[in-house]
Amino acid sequence: MAYSLESLVQIVQQILHPDHHQSLWTLDPYKRPQIEALLEKACFFKDFSENSCSGISGDRILSLEIRIRDAAYDAEDILESHLSEQILSSREGGSFIFSPPDLEKVIGELDYAKEQMMTIMNSSQTTDSSSPAVSSRQDPNPKNIVVGVGEDFIRLKGWLVGQPSKAFQVIPIVGMGGIGKTTLARNLYDDPSVISRFDTRAWATISQDYNNRKLQDVLLSLLGCVIGKPKVKMLGMSDDQLALRLHQALIGRRYLIVLDDVWDVKPWDDTRRFFPDDNNGSRIIVTTRESSVAYYTGSQSLYHQMNLLKDDESWNLLHQKVFALEDTCSPELEKIGKKIAKDCRGLPLAIHVIGGILSQAKTSQDFWEHVSDNVSAAIADKGEQYSNILSLSYNRLPNHLKPYFLYMGAFPEDYEIRSSKLIKLLVAEGFVQPILGKSLEEAAEMHLKALVDRNLIFVRQQGTNGNVKSYSIHDLLRDLCARKACEEKFLFIHGCEPGNLPINTSFLRRVCAHGPFRDEDANRLMEQIRLARSFLLFNDIRGSTSFGIFQLRLLRVLDILQELLYRLPEAILQLVNLRYLAINIRNTLPSSISTLCNLQTLIARHAGLYRNVKHSVVIHALLDMTQLRHIQFKGPRNYVGYHGKDKNRFFVLDKLQTVSPIGISVLTDRVLETLPNLEKLGIFWDEEVDHLTLRACRILDPNMNEIADDTNFPRFEHLVIRHCEELKEIPLAIGEIPTLKIIEVHEDNPSVVASARKIQEDQRDYGNDDLQMTELIRGY
């Protein structure tokens, strides 16, 4: 619900406060009270969903959330449809009075939902739920088979019994759902040498629904282990009495406590004071999916991150799950089984589920081949418990992070998701909640880090400066994303099994194409998704399908880099709601691109059919696009440049952060002054020289000195020098930029390397020890 409300809030705020440079419309003053009322209600539900509903669940809440989501989508459709129509009809007439249709029905829906939500909240505060905090889920690994964690087991066991410190220590075990944290903890807990080491042991499963009223259940669980099954009279004791009893039972004894399945820091804050520290080697193990919980409860030196199994470890675990010790596996089944194990992508929970399926027909090659054809579907059909365990991670996410996770389902399996692209998409979709003092891109990056900390996505590639270059997601978690996104009408995936589930496509917002289109598929799909806001293409659709895409008049995101077009279709210029456009064309972009007045990200790849043809983008068209945040051109000889009278047209583009590349001939002080918040700049040598003699760009010394200091780049952080054969030295003024962190030199030229070292040494003399210099010899 929250992500649809965030998007609506951004739209309404844009209507109430249009960009001061743009000034395309003025809101009809008679409609302003209604628009302001809509904004107030959207903000109420957004804040409510973030702060008040985390502990409330049930069919009534779900029904209301769906009702609120659909009302928010209705409001978006009404406002964006009417605004787009007026922008298109007033192109020649300049600004206009925006007078949206009546929104009374939508506001009435939200008023009703607000009344019902408050009623539920009031009743929940007076009703004491008796459901226990201790999770009742069945162990998916009843045999407690430990494969692939031998080193982990030995390491953790050493922390417990191998000449351990007498200091009181907390050992967090962290990893994604289903990776085997509980199984590892249980094997440590039951190990004979661990049992003999400690005077007493106790285990409590916290679970995801912990709150203040469930502290009693945790204390009873621990007391039940320490002093035996609690007596009936203990059930009537207060939390303080139980806590005192537990504390007294542990004083003077070396104990091992396991707090399993901890989702946040509150259970630890509630219980920590009950565990005495007698400096006798007592230990507490905490298992969690949340890295923040692990860091909070334990020390980094004892922090244990669980990793996915290797392929051979996966097969060993699957073999043990399917076959008894005396059973043998034929070479034919072993070959199929190894492929199945590999397709489980190292997740022990998935291997246990699939092992249960295969054990039904231990010797049937046909059955094993059938399972091998689609491991994910087999797990989804038979692994209800598996799905529930993974779903807990999604259900427990803060509402503002849910669209980030669901969006991962848009990308194909094993896809390397570039960080820069993902962040631009999330901003364009309207998911990113602003953070004070941060750009939208920085806020999105922080939210993605929160998913990494929750072990829901992984950093696949990291840059030399520590920034994330790309992410990935486990295939089975990606399948969960796709199913959840489909259920919530968030995303439709064409050509992928989870996305082909039958759904009601009303309000469907996003479409991703992973498979080829047939004409009949395309025509039917375009009719069903006419209100879609996003279309992302991951294969070449060919044929007439692309024309149908251009009829989706409310699109915010259009990524069709995989579809080669001869020129920019006129129909695209009708998509005035676009925030993100990625396109592959043979001809240069026309100046009419400025019609897309809401565009934030422009990515264009030019095929470059003729080597002697110079492709460029007329700069005045871009200067009219005040919402632009990123301009990126791909392919040979493509760059931003001025032409003729346009050299005298200058407007400040204070939102623009990325320009790559721009012609060196126009990169003057005056141009740079129009880009005060530029963070990434690519440079193209556009003067009349033989480009076959250059490997990259050429900047003469006067030009370099003009653009080198903190006047033009006040936030410059990372300088990369690559393929600059004619460069004699890096100007010393570069070192005066206070935000500069890294100079990365990919050159054999001794004078360039020496100048970089000189800059670093000078900065150290001034007390700046943070500037790093990296020298990479070409070819290595």
Side-chain angles (χ1 to χ4, degrees):
M1 179 178 75
Y3 49 80
S4 59
L5 292 167
E6 179 62 39
S7 175
L8 178 60
V9 166
Q10 291 184 20
I11 292 169
V12 175
Q13 287 177 336
Q14 182 189 24
I15 290 172
L16 287 169
H17 310 288
D19 186 272
H20 65 281
H21 295 306
Q22 200 170 1
S23 301
L24 285 180
W25 67 82
T26 302
L27 179 62
D28 185 342
Y30 293 102
K31 294 298 181 71
R32 179 172 287 273
Q34 195 175 67
I35 298 295
E36 289 176 341
L38 178 62
L39 177 61
E40 182 272 326
K41 295 180 193 309
C43 288
F44 167 81
F45 282 115
K46 185 168 76 75
D47 294 341
F48 187 88
S49 65
E50 288 296 328
N51 302 318
S52 302
C53 283
S54 58
I56 305 175
S57 59
D59 293 340
R60 291 181 66 193
I61 284 288
L62 178 60
S63 176
L64 279 175
E65 288 183 343
I66 292 173
R67 193 164 186 164
I68 294 166
R69 178 201 67 195
D70 290 351
Y73 284 168
D74 261 337
E76 280 189 8
D77 293 342
I78 293 170
L79 293 172
E80 290 191 310
S81 295
H82 196 70
L83 187 57
S84 297
E85 290 172 3
Q86 288 202 245
I87 291 174
L88 288 170
S89 63
S90 64
R91 281 180 172 176
E92 302 301 327
S95 61
F96 57 89
I97 302 295
F98 178 53
S99 182
D102 189 77
L103 295 167
E104 201 61 43
K105 182 178 179 181
V106 171
I107 292 175
E109 278 287 295
L110 296 176
D111 282 336
Y112 173 81
K114 182 176 180 179
E115 292 176 4
Q116 295 298 307
M117 193 71 79
M118 297 308 297
T119 299
I120 295 173
M121 281 292 295
N122 292 334
S123 63
S124 70
Q125 291 173 359
T126 58
T127 303
D128 184 12
S129 174
S130 60
S131 59
V134 180
S135 174
S136 60
R137 71 185 187 194
Q138 183 182 357
D139 185 356
N141 179 19
K143 296 181 183 179
N144 283 335
I145 302 171
V146 178
V147 174
V149 293
E151 294 182 3
D152 297 342
F153 182 83
I154 293 171
R155 181 188 187 199
L156 288 165
K157 185 176 175 180
W159 291 346
L160 296 176
V161 303
Q163 297 181 346
S165 166
K166 289 187 177 181
F168 173 84
Q169 293 178 339
V170 180
I171 303 171
I173 301 176
V174 64
M176 67 179 287
I179 203 168
K181 301 180 296 295
T182 299
T183 300
L184 177 58
R186 175 61 68 179
N187 278 273
L188 289 166
Y189 185 83
D190 291 335
D191 184 81
S193 59
V194 171
I195 294 174
S196 63
R197 167 69 181 174
F198 294 96
D199 301 323
T200 187
R201 297 169 302 129
W203 182 293
T205 302
I206 307 300
S207 83
Q208 77 281 359
D209 60 352
Y210 177 89
N211 57 44
N212 283 331
R213 289 172 292 180
K214 306 302 173 64
L215 174 60
Q216 184 181 61
D217 299 302
V218 175
L219 293 172
L220 287 171
S221 295
L222 295 174
L223 277 169
C225 298
V226 174
I227 65 174
K229 190 173 182 179
K231 298 179 180 179
V232 175
K233 65 178 183 179
M234 292 181 62
L235 297 176
M237 296 173 63
S238 68
D239 289 353
D240 288 341
Q241 291 171 323
L242 291 171
L244 179 60
R245 184 76 180 272
L246 176 63
H247 185 80
Q248 291 173 338
L250 294 177
I251 285 179
R253 306 174 76 182
R254 183 187 298 124
Y255 58 84
L256 171 64
I257 302 289
V258 176
L259 300 178
D260 184 37
D261 200 22
V262 181
W263 287 78
D264 55 53
V265 300
K266 183 167 176 48
W268 175 251
D269 287 338
D270 288 347
T271 58
R272 168 64 184 91
R273 63 186 184 276
F274 308 144
F275 305 130
D277 181 2
D278 293 324
N279 198 34
N280 61 1
S282 292
R283 299 285 184 268
I284 295 180
I285 294 176
V286 175
T287 74
T288 180
R289 306 183 190 196
E290 307 279 343
S291 297
S292 59
V293 172
Y295 284 123
Y296 185 84
T297 58
S299 63
Q300 288 193 5
S301 60
L302 298 181
Y303 180 101
H304 182 71
Q305 175 77 46
M306 292 199 68
N307 298 313
L308 296 168
L309 300 180
K310 299 175 184 176
D311 289 349
D312 59 335
E313 295 168 341
S314 296
W315 165 239
N316 290 338
L317 177 57
L318 182 63
H319 185 277
Q320 292 187 37
K321 181 69 179 178
V322 175
F323 298 101
L325 290 176
E326 65 276 9
D327 291 340
T328 58
C329 175
S330 68
E332 294 78 14
L333 287 184
E334 180 174 344
K335 181 179 180 180
I336 302 170
K338 286 184 175 180
K339 179 182 180 299
I340 293 173
K342 183 177 182 179
D343 288 343
C344 288
R345 298 294 190 264
L347 188 63
L349 178 59
I351 296 169
H352 285 292
V353 173
I354 211 75
I357 297 171
L358 295 177
S359 63
Q360 300 170 15
K362 296 182 181 180
T363 59
S364 172
Q365 184 172 338
D366 290 342
F367 182 74
W368 280 47
E369 287 177 344
H370 174 74
V371 172
S372 176
D373 288 339
N374 199 329
V375 171
S376 297
I379 294 173
D381 290 340
K382 300 295 184 180
E384 180 180 356
Q385 183 186 357
Y386 153 82
S387 298
N388 290 340
I389 289 174
L390 291 186
S391 295
L392 289 177
S393 292
Y394 172 75
N395 296 336
R396 280 285 301 183
L397 276 177
N399 283 316
H400 71 277
L401 291 181
K402 287 184 177 179
Y404 288 71
F405 182 61
L406 293 180
Y407 211 75
M408 296 299 167
F411 300 94
E413 288 187 359
D414 298 323
Y415 193 86
E416 183 174 2
I417 307 169
R418 300 294 296 178
S419 172
S420 57
K421 176 176 182 175
L422 177 59
I423 288 172
K424 293 181 181 72
L425 285 169
L426 293 170
V427 171
E429 293 279 8
F431 296 151
V432 183
Q433 291 188 350
I435 297 176
L436 187 63
K438 301 289 184 182
S439 68
L440 292 177
E441 287 78 6
E442 290 170 333
E445 195 170 12
M446 291 174 65
H447 294 152
L448 288 170
K449 183 180 183 302
L451 289 185
V452 173
D453 290 342
R454 286 170 166 81
N455 292 280
L456 288 174
I457 64 175
F458 306 101
V459 174
R460 184 158 174 173
Q461 190 178 162
Q462 204 156 17
T464 55
N465 59 354
N467 290 340
V468 176
K469 297 181 69 174
S470 63
Y471 297 95
S472 63
I473 184 171
H474 192 281
D475 286 350
L476 298 174
L477 275 176
R478 181 202 160 274
D479 290 343
L480 171 66
C481 291
R483 287 194 296 273
K484 289 289 184 182
C486 186
E487 292 169 6
E488 298 191 13
K489 301 180 183 178
F490 178 90
L491 175 69
F492 177 85
I493 304 176
H494 175 80
C496 177
E497 186 64 27
N500 286 333
L501 296 174
I503 60 172
N504 179 354
T505 56
S506 61
F507 298 118
L508 190 63
R509 276 349 210 205
R510 285 158 206 91
V511 177
C512 300
H514 292 178
F517 280 98
R518 297 176 301 180
D519 286 342
E520 56 269 30
D521 291 337
N523 295 332
R524 177 178 56 84
L525 181 62
M526 295 309 158
E527 176 59 29
Q528 291 176 326
I529 63 170
R530 56 189 178 84
L531 298 177
R533 296 308 199 274
S534 305
F535 191 97
L536 286 82
L537 182 66
F538 292 95
N539 69 299
D540 186 356
I541 56 179
R542 296 187 176 90
S544 61
T545 305
S546 58
F547 179 78
I549 297 170
F550 304 149
Q551 307 309 305
L552 305 178
R553 291 299 178 87
L554 298 182
L555 281 179
R556 295 179 192 167
V557 170
L558 179 59
D559 187 338
I560 51 173
L561 272 175
Q562 298 299 317
E563 179 78 352
L564 179 59
L565 302 172
Y566 182 73
R567 61 171 58 90
L568 186 73
E570 182 68 25
I572 284 185
L573 301 179
Q574 307 294 309
L575 307 180
V576 294
N577 201 40
L578 275 181
R579 271 74 164 167
Y580 181 105
L581 175 62
I583 192 167
N584 185 9
I585 59 175
R586 289 178 174 172
N587 283 337
T588 189
L589 292 176
S591 60
S592 54
I593 190 74
S594 62
T595 302
L596 305 179
C597 55
N598 289 304
L599 201 64
Q600 298 174 353
T601 295
L602 173 61
I603 301 173
R605 177 186 294 140
H606 297 293
L609 290 180
Y610 307 103
R611 294 183 63 88
N612 61 341
V613 174
K614 182 187 297 183
H615 295 284
S616 64
V617 174
V618 181
I619 193 69
H620 79 79
L622 303 179
L623 286 173
D624 290 335
M625 303 170 71
T626 58
Q627 301 301 312
L628 272 176
R629 307 175 75 88
H630 308 280
I631 304 172
Q632 183 177 0
F633 296 104
K634 299 173 180 289
R637 307 164 71 87
N638 303 302
Y639 62 95
V640 179
Y642 288 101
H643 295 282
K645 62 180 180 180
D646 302 323
K647 290 187 177 182
N648 297 319
R649 297 190 72 227
F650 292 97
F651 299 95
V652 174
L653 299 180
D654 54 1
K655 295 181 180 178
L656 195 60
Q657 302 171 27
T658 303
V659 179
S660 179
I662 190 170
I664 185 61
S665 66
V666 299
L667 195 61
T668 64
D669 288 343
R670 190 175 182 188
V671 171
L672 291 169
E673 287 170 0
T674 68
L675 310 174
N677 296 311
L678 197 65
E679 295 181 1
K680 183 177 180 180
L681 177 66
I683 302 172
F684 182 83
W685 177 254
D686 61 330
E687 296 188 3
E688 296 301 324
V689 297
D690 181 4
H691 282 72
L692 297 175
T693 65
L694 296 177
R695 298 181 63 182
C697 69
R698 176 183 168 202
I699 306 175
L700 301 179
D701 286 344
N703 299 91
M704 176 64 82
N705 287 320
E706 285 180 7
I707 66 172
D709 62 17
D710 60 343
T711 303
N712 293 316
F713 297 105
R715 299 174 62 188
F716 194 42
E717 294 185 359
H718 191 173
L719 173 65
V720 180
I721 305 293
R722 182 184 291 122
H723 304 312
C724 297
E725 288 87 348
E726 300 300 321
L727 181 66
K728 300 298 187 232
E729 64 178 15
I730 304 171
L732 296 180
I734 286 282
E736 298 173 5
I737 300 176
T739 55
L740 186 64
K741 297 178 180 177
I742 298 176
I743 298 177
E744 188 176 321
V745 180
H746 297 248
E747 299 297 333
D748 298 327
N749 190 326
S751 64
V752 173
V753 175
S755 64
R757 289 176 179 162
K758 171 66 173 170
I759 291 172
Q760 185 184 33
E761 292 169 1
D762 288 349
Q763 289 304 302
R764 285 178 177 171
D765 291 341
Y766 289 115
N768 177 15
D769 295 326
D770 296 330
L771 180 61
Q772 302 297 315
M773 185 267 184
T774 302
E775 179 184 353
L776 298 174
I777 304 300
R778 190 174 303 161
Y780 290 88

